[in-house]
């Protein structure tokens, strides 16, 4: 059983503030992912939770107890690093045993634990191998096994899959999710990869430049991004954006004009803004529809066939390229003239400060 609470956590290196006041709660058994671009402070925040970095100010609570000054080994956490950090001269068994020995666990108990975890992670055939004789995926499993044998209250992962090839990353994502269900330990997982965040998290924390941009379930973030940053970061291929001018609105929605003159009514109530305000309209590739030439027309420039779906890149009259995701069997060809239909119920509107208009239409899975 472990809950965590971060209260206005800050980190300053010399004069630069890297983590700028982060507050969040992590529930027992929750799988929380910190996601954001490289350099946004994910590792720093995780290392502060682990006790590997001092917390400049704010409070860190584990199970309600303030642990800012508790040394790393006494916080009940285990961390898995991107680099694996295995001892190269020790075999797999000894790598997993090392921490247990230090903690003074009797030999028979150590053996039982290690054998059990090796079975869970399919590492039994490799217990006598040294890390150099293992593949990347196997090394990563050893690093995870070394964390599991310690029976921590909380698992901390820092980009554990980033050194693996795409196929193995996909497989390890599934294994980690299954392992989490089995162990039921509170987990904090750091990654720059929004796919890992979307597929594994109960709760995603999107970070940028040391601040939290949004906290929510994967589908909440996908369907109701709080601002342009989250809208751009979550989703692949990313959301398309159009310039728009606000005309008027009420509680039912907003009327906007696109650059080519099309007027649309989007069922999202506006914040207090004036007619003429420049907005950004966002729509995901799977919500755009291709139609015979009409408004919003352009030329098909590239077609990416992924099998189940097809990504059609369309260059609009103004030079902007948008991506439409359509079915795998579309017979569309490059250099065809097409037009885009934007179903208003799927459109997001963002004010000049980047904040999303309040969403009127809630996705049933993300309500
Ligand atoms: N020991 C340090 N001293 C000074 N600056 C640091 C130190 N560690 C990290 N930083 C800076 O803090 C910022 C966040 O780094 P980091 O937490 O590693 O980002 P992320 O893990 O999101 O890529 C970066 O700008 C990095 O250069
Ligand atoms: Mg990092």
């Amino acid at each position: 059983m472990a809950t965590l609470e971060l209260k206005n956590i800050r980190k300053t290196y010399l004069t630069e503030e890297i983590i700028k006041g982060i507050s969040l709660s992590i529930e027992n058994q929750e799988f929380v992912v910190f996601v954001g671009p490289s350099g946004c402070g994910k590792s720093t925040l995780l290392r502060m939770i682990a006790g590997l970095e001092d917390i400049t100010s704010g409070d860190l609570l584990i199970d309600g107890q303030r642990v800012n000054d508790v040394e790393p080994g006494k916080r009940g956490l285990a961390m898995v690093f991107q680099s694996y950090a295995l001892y190269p001269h020790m075999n797999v068994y000894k790598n997993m045993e090392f921490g247990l020995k230090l903690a003074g666990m009797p030999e028979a108990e150590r053996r039982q634990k290690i054998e059990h975890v090796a079975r869970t992670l399919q590492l039994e055939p490799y217990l006598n191998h040294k890390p150099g004789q293992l593949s990347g995926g196997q090394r990563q499993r050893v690093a995870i096994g070394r964390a599991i044998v310690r029976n921590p209250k909380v698992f901390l992962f820092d980009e554990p899959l980033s050194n693996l090839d795409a196929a193995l990353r996909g497989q390890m994502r599934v294994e980690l999710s299954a392992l989490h269900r089995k162990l039921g330990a509170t987990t904090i997982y750091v990654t720059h990869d929004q796919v890992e965040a979307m597929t594994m998290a109960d709760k995603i924390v999107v970070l940028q430049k040391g601040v939290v941009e949004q906290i929510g379930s994967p589908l909440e973030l996908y369907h109701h991004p709080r601002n342009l940053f989250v809208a751009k970061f979550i989703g692949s291929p990313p959301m398309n954006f159009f310039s728009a001018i606000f005309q008027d609105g009420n509680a039912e929605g907003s009327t906007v004009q696109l650059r080519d003159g099309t007027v649309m009514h989007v069922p999202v109530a506006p914040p207090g803004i004036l007619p003429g305000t420049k907005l950004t309209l966002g729509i995901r590739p799977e919500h755009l529809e291709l139609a015979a030439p009409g408004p919003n027309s352009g030329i098909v420039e590239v077609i990416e066939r992924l099998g189940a779906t097809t990504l059609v890149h369309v260059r609009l009259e103004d030079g902007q390229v948008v991506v439409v995701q359509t079915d795998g069997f579309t017979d569309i060809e490059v250099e065809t003239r097409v037009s885009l239909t934007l179903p208003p119920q799927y459109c997001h509107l963002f004010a000049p400060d980047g904040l999303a208009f309040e969403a009127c239409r809630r996705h049933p899975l993300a309500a």
Side-chain angles (χ1 to χ4, degrees):
M1 154 89 194
T3 61
L4 280 93
E5 196 161 354
L6 279 64
K7 290 184 176 172
N8 199 16
I9 296 272
R10 290 172 190 273
K11 177 75 184 177
T12 305
Y13 285 121
L14 301 172
T15 55
E16 199 185 348
E17 191 166 56
I18 301 292
I19 299 292
K20 299 167 183 159
I22 290 187
S23 299
L24 63 105
S25 298
I26 297 174
E27 287 166 35
N28 188 36
Q29 303 199 332
E30 207 170 19
F31 195 119
V32 174
V33 175
F34 295 169
V35 70
S38 182
C40 71
K42 305 179 294 292
S43 295
T44 304
L45 187 58
L46 197 69
R47 291 170 60 82
M48 286 196 283
I49 293 170
L52 304 173
E53 294 283 352
D54 288 336
I55 295 170
T56 307
S57 72
D59 297 315
L60 172 65
L61 279 65
I62 300 180
D63 286 336
Q65 302 288 318
R66 188 176 186 274
V67 296
N68 289 46
D69 305 314
V70 174
E71 61 178 88
K74 301 231 164 92
R75 293 189 187 189
L77 318 168
M79 185 149 165
V80 177
F81 300 89
Q82 178 180 352
S83 62
Y84 315 142
L86 300 175
Y87 302 109
H89 58 288
M90 292 184 193
N91 66 23
V92 169
Y93 187 94
K94 292 209 152 62
N95 262 285
M96 292 207 266
E97 185 184 37
F98 190 75
L100 304 181
K101 238 177 166 170
L102 276 186
M105 185 184 286
E107 143 102 78
E109 199 179 330
R110 293 202 300 263
R111 176 158 295 278
Q112 195 200 354
K113 276 210 156 214
I114 292 167
E115 284 175 355
H116 177 70
V117 168
R119 247 191 325 276
T120 309
L121 294 171
Q122 291 152 31
L123 284 171
E124 279 171 310
Y126 309 104
L127 285 172
N128 291 318
H129 288 50
K130 299 224 167 109
Q133 300 168 292
L134 302 174
S135 70
Q138 289 163 342
R139 276 181 234 174
Q140 189 52 266
R141 274 198 213 113
V142 177
I144 292 166
R146 190 176 54 178
I148 296 174
V149 290
R150 296 181 44 209
N151 211 8
K153 288 197 286 189
V154 182
F155 282 103
L156 307 178
F157 290 97
D158 193 352
E159 310 243 9
L161 307 186
S162 296
N163 291 346
L164 307 178
D165 64 50
L168 195 51
R169 267 206 312 271
Q171 183 191 330
M172 289 297 291
R173 281 206 309 265
V174 175
E175 285 184 19
L176 281 174
S177 293
L179 191 66
H180 175 251
R181 247 197 334 276
K182 196 151 140 190
L183 300 174
T186 308
T187 299
I188 308 177
Y189 185 104
V190 159
T191 181
H192 66 275
D193 179 354
Q194 60 93 23
V195 176
E196 285 178 19
M198 288 295 288
T199 52
M200 296 198 284
D202 296 315
K203 181 155 88 190
I204 298 178
V205 180
V206 182
L207 297 169
Q208 188 199 195
K209 296 182 182 158
V211 302
V212 172
E213 293 287 353
Q214 190 170 2
I215 300 177
S217 71
L219 289 185
E220 247 173 271
L221 268 52
Y222 190 80
H223 293 291
H224 306 290
R226 222 190 112 243
N227 56 32
L228 269 174
F229 181 82
V230 177
K232 286 177 182 168
F233 194 78
I234 300 283
S236 172
M239 191 183 276
N240 296 294
F241 297 99
F242 298 85
S243 308
I245 305 281
F246 178 68
Q247 290 191 329
D248 63 44
N250 54 36
E252 301 299 307
S254 306
T255 305
V256 302
Q257 183 171 36
L258 300 185
R259 209 143 52 176
D260 77 337
T262 324
V263 173
M264 285 181 67
H265 184 77
V266 179
V268 182
I273 52 170
L274 295 172
T277 302
K278 285 186 184 155
L279 307 175
T280 304
L281 181 149
I283 183 163
R284 295 207 180 271
E286 69 270 31
H287 294 143
L288 274 174
E289 290 163 15
L290 292 171
N296 289 306
S297 83
I299 303 285
V300 175
E301 206 169 64
V302 175
I303 299 177
E304 294 180 278
R305 292 195 177 273
L306 299 170
T309 58
T310 304
L311 302 178
V312 182
H313 298 243
V314 179
R315 186 175 294 278
L316 301 178
E317 313 266 289
D318 63 5
Q320 187 189 351
V321 175
V322 298
V323 178
V324 182
Q325 179 178 310
T326 182
D327 69 275
F329 295 103
T330 178
D331 56 3
I332 197 157
E333 290 175 9
V334 282
E335 294 189 10
T336 317
R337 176 166 287 277
V338 291
S339 77
L340 304 175
T341 306
L342 289 72
Q345 71 271 28
Y346 293 120
C347 291
H348 301 254
L349 292 173
F350 301 93
D353 60 4
L355 278 182
F357 286 22
E358 192 194 341
C360 293
R361 183 186 158 280
R362 305 294 292 184
H363 187 281
L365 289 172

